[in-house]
């Protein structure tokens, strides 16, 4: 679910998984390493637990639109810290 249409903008609210009960649910739109901590509990609540996936591709690219391993490592470290704090593997 990406209300920003690939522009990397955080939505006013994340659509709930219950709105699409038979589908795998993923979330996208502005989920950078910096935004992830403030969005984590909102995503979990919307997804009824943990989302099937999170798309952060736009935020993992540098100013020249190249994939950045440094940004990817920062994002993964943030996600791992949040998942660990939530008691997830």
């Amino acid at each position: 679910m990406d209300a920003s249409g690939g522009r990397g903008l955080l939505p006013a609210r994340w659509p709930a998984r219950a709105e699409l009960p038979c589908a795998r649910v993923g979330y996208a739109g502005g989920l950078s390493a910096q935004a992830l901590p403030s969005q984590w509990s909102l995503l979990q609540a919307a997804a009824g637990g943990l989302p099937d996936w999170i798309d952060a591709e736009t935020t993992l690219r540098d100013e020249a639109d190249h994939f950045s391993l440094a940004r990817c490592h920062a994002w993964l470290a943030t996600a791992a810290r949040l998942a660990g704090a939530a008691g997830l593997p």
Side-chain angles (χ1 to χ4, degrees):
M1 298 193 197
D2 182 1
S4 77
R7 293 173 305 198
L9 304 173
L10 290 168
R13 77 176 261 288
W14 293 104
R17 180 185 201 119
E19 295 172 29
L20 295 168
C22 297
R24 293 185 60 162
V25 177
Y27 293 91
L31 293 170
S32 65
Q34 295 78 20
L36 196 55
S38 68
Q39 298 298 306
W40 188 260
S41 62
L42 300 173
L43 289 167
Q44 286 189 352
L50 188 66
D52 289 319
W53 51 269
I54 295 174
D55 176 351
E57 191 220 346
T58 301
T59 67
L60 302 180
R61 295 183 166 279
D62 65 19
E63 294 73 22
D65 199 31
H66 297 119
F67 182 78
S68 168
L69 284 177
R71 288 185 182 193
C72 184
H73 288 167
W75 195 95
L76 289 171
T78 299
R81 179 177 51 78
L82 293 165
L88 302 170

